Amino acid sequence: MLIDRSVLIVGARAEIGFRHQLLFEYVAAQALLERGGAAELDRLHGIVQSRTLDLFVGAVFEQALILAWRNYPTLHPDIRRVLVALSGSATTTLQSIALVVAAYHPQAGPEVGALLDRAPPEAVRRFVELTPRASGPQIGGTLSLLRRVWLRTETTCRIAVLNVLERFAARHGLAVQSFLTDQECIDHVARAGGDLLLSERALPRILGLLADTDADWSREGLRTLFDAGWGAARKRALAVAILEIVAERWDALGSAAPLAEFEAAVVLAQEHNDGQENGAVRLAVGRLYARQWTLDHALSCPEPDAEGWLGLVTVLRDELAAHAHASVRTQLRLMGVAQALAQMPEDGPVLAGTLAMIFPAAADTYGKSMYELSGSFLVFLLGSASPAGRATRELLRSALLGLPAPMSRTATGGQLLTIVAREAMTQAELSHSELAELLADLPSTARPDQWIDVGGLVPLIVRAALGGHPVAAAAWAEVVDNPGLIDGTVRKSVVFE
């Protein structure tokens, strides 16, 4: 059976072997312990002392010590004696064996703690990476050893500790919280900056996992890292990651007050850093709004709070209409509305009413601030498979009936809607086939001249042609033969693929 399952292999001379080296080491260690117990441990110890680079015997010795501590309590004094000798060695290979055994069984060798203070970083990191093998009552001993590792100065060792604490956090929340608090890990990471703050994600993920243990403490820690991150770099990757963690754990971390706090922090950060990575930040903050507003207005329920929700949307639409360029706060909230709509389970008056306010009929358009929609609100919903996404696609298809519509910052009414709809389709990350389907069976897209007209669908001609739109493909074939068919002022907007 083991041969059939490729656990064992048969050699050319019918000898039996192991497919995996670790399994061989385990079986060899078990056999040696059964044969000689303490005598075999001493014999293996002697071999590795005289042949420190013998990694083959060293690996079997490691396994023997690990198995003996677990399965042979009478050998504990012998194991401790061996670990004392290994810990006192000046040889990295022997030190590493002691540390591996301690990772599995932290009670086996108290003297290993002192070894953690002086062993080479690579041996210490291997110890840290193996500590999740410890379980149950051993966790306290493991965390005590990890505290000693944290007190070392190497950033790589501290990163290893944070990575392994993430694995403990779900099952041992209070113990991990105590570790982070006692060692002031959050403040240290915030002050340290560099890769420890900006590139590593273990600590923010730990704080998200610990939201069930202490929501206020976790939220405060995430805010500390968020503030430190945007103050230390113009890039927004850390901020976005933290916002996504907060959104994911909004059931534990969220309420109106934290939403206001994170909104204020993001607005301040974006205003100080010229809106770096605006799209990613909008999307991340939008999730926070969507989570809270969905709860506040029961948007996922059969009977949502239509009055309260549409009142909120009205205020947002009025803020958008009042300024030629939307504020950061308005941009963020607009994306929140889009994501909240995408979570609504079905079409209905609330969904239709929201879309009618944000992307209204021609008679109710509200000026050039509507251009804000094409880069965020509409783009997000165009890519959504939700009822809101389908309704948005139909609205934009209807708007294209107003073609041609040359780009103009002073357009109004139906022409404005057409321009915004075209721009949203241009910016949306739709596949070629999805775009072709979106543009199918419309009177305006059935006319070849619309695909090359300065006010038509020139920016979409290549992608639609590649997606199989027959009129776009025919128009593009003509352009390939005669590039002059496309006006020089818009030729640069054609995407060649």
Side-chain angles (χ1 to χ4, degrees):
M1 181 180 70
L2 294 178
I3 293 173
D4 291 340
R5 295 184 178 182
S6 294
V7 176
L8 301 177
I9 56 176
V10 180
R13 292 178 293 179
E15 72 276 15
I16 301 297
F18 293 85
R19 184 170 296 278
H20 301 287
Q21 180 68 17
L22 184 60
L23 179 59
F24 163 77
E25 293 162 4
Y26 176 89
V27 172
Q30 184 66 50
L32 291 170
L33 287 171
E34 290 179 0
R35 185 177 74 176
E40 286 297 335
L41 291 179
D42 288 337
R43 187 172 71 86
L44 292 171
H45 186 198
I47 294 173
V48 297
Q49 281 183 311
S50 61
R51 304 205 304 259
T52 57
L53 297 181
D54 191 334
L55 301 181
F56 177 80
V57 175
V60 174
F61 187 34
E62 259 181 23
Q63 284 294 324
L65 290 168
I66 292 168
L67 289 171
W69 183 268
R70 186 182 68 199
N71 299 333
Y72 299 90
T74 59
L75 295 181
H76 284 186
D78 300 286
I79 297 169
R80 286 199 173 98
R81 173 173 47 79
V82 171
L83 290 177
V84 168
L86 294 173
S87 299
S89 172
T91 305
T92 300
T93 304
L94 301 186
Q95 293 175 355
S96 181
I97 292 174
L99 291 176
V100 168
V101 177
Y104 280 82
H105 305 296
Q107 306 95 323
E111 61 285 331
V112 171
L115 176 57
L116 286 171
D117 298 338
R118 58 185 175 83
E122 59 271 19
V124 174
R125 289 200 304 274
R126 185 183 180 213
F127 160 81
V128 173
E129 290 163 2
L130 291 173
T131 54
R133 271 70 172 182
S135 60
Q138 300 183 99
I139 295 302
T142 296
L143 292 177
S144 294
L145 294 175
L146 290 176
R147 282 182 170 88
R148 300 194 70 146
V149 177
W150 181 265
L151 293 175
R152 292 176 61 114
T153 59
E154 299 94 347
T155 297
T156 55
C157 289
R158 287 181 165 173
I159 290 173
V161 170
L162 292 174
N163 284 328
V164 84
L165 287 177
E166 182 183 358
R167 298 176 66 177
F168 285 129
R171 290 178 294 129
H172 307 284
L174 286 173
V176 172
Q177 181 188 10
S178 176
F179 183 106
L180 296 177
T181 301
D182 293 345
Q183 304 305 312
E184 300 181 342
C185 298
I186 298 171
D187 288 340
H188 171 78
V189 170
R191 289 193 306 268
D195 288 343
L196 189 59
L197 172 66
L198 300 175
S199 299
E200 297 298 321
R201 297 288 180 268
L203 183 54
R205 290 195 296 265
I206 291 170
L207 294 174
L209 290 170
L210 295 182
D212 293 326
T213 301
D214 189 333
D216 291 340
W217 177 84
S218 293
R219 186 167 50 245
E220 182 181 348
L222 288 165
R223 271 297 311 276
T224 297
L225 296 177
F226 179 90
D227 292 342
W230 80 256
R234 294 174 66 82
K235 296 297 183 181
R236 288 283 165 266
L238 174 64
V240 169
I242 290 173
L243 291 169
E244 289 175 346
I245 290 168
V246 174
E248 188 68 27
R249 298 308 323 276
W250 195 252
D251 54 340
L253 296 173
S255 68
L259 179 60
E261 291 175 8
F262 274 103
E263 177 190 73
V266 171
V267 169
L268 183 62
Q270 291 300 88
E271 289 176 347
H272 275 70
N273 289 279
D274 302 323
Q276 291 288 315
E277 301 177 46
N278 210 359
V281 173
R282 286 182 186 179
L283 195 63
V285 179
R287 285 190 67 193
L288 304 188
Y289 287 119
R291 291 296 303 272
Q292 187 60 36
W293 289 342
T294 298
L295 292 173
D296 289 345
H297 302 287
L299 297 181
S300 60
C301 298
E303 297 183 8
D305 170 25
E307 183 179 356
W309 169 251
L310 293 176
L312 182 153
V313 175
T314 300
V315 171
L316 177 62
R317 192 272 316 276
D318 291 345
E319 290 177 356
L320 184 62
H323 304 90
H325 300 286
S327 66
V328 173
R329 180 176 180 272
T330 301
Q331 293 171 1
L332 298 175
R333 291 186 161 221
L334 194 60
M335 183 56 78
V337 171
Q339 295 196 55
L341 292 181
Q343 293 179 20
M344 295 183 68
E346 57 186 34
D347 200 349
V350 173
L351 173 57
T354 303
L355 290 175
M357 285 188 193
I358 302 297
F359 193 77
D364 298 319
T365 56
Y366 45 92
K368 61 183 180 181
S369 58
M370 287 189 65
Y371 288 113
E372 296 281 351
L373 304 177
S374 60
S376 59
F377 181 88
L378 294 175
V379 165
F380 177 82
L381 289 174
L382 272 173
S384 171
S386 64
R390 292 192 293 272
T392 299
R393 288 188 283 276
E394 286 306 313
L395 278 176
L396 298 193
R397 280 170 53 85
S398 296
L400 290 186
L401 296 175
L403 289 171
M407 184 63 187
S408 170
R409 299 300 292 183
T410 59
T412 59
Q415 287 283 280
L416 175 58
L417 294 176
T418 302
I419 294 169
V420 171
R422 180 180 58 210
E423 185 62 21
M425 292 180 185
T426 302
Q427 295 194 39
E429 295 182 357
L430 300 173
S431 69
H432 301 326
S433 59
E434 288 172 334
L435 180 64
E437 182 180 358
L438 183 62
L439 297 172
D441 302 323
L442 288 174
S444 52
T445 63
R447 295 166 45 193
D449 60 298
Q450 294 286 23
W451 292 96
I452 57 177
D453 190 286
V454 67
L457 297 169
V458 171
L460 301 173
I461 183 173
V462 174
R463 292 167 56 201
L466 290 173
H469 194 290
V471 183
W476 179 244
E478 293 185 19
V479 170
V480 170
D481 293 335
N482 183 9
L485 289 174
I486 296 180
D487 188 277
T489 61
V490 297
R491 197 174 299 153
K492 64 181 180 181
S493 68
V494 176
V495 178
F496 291 86
E497 304 189 28

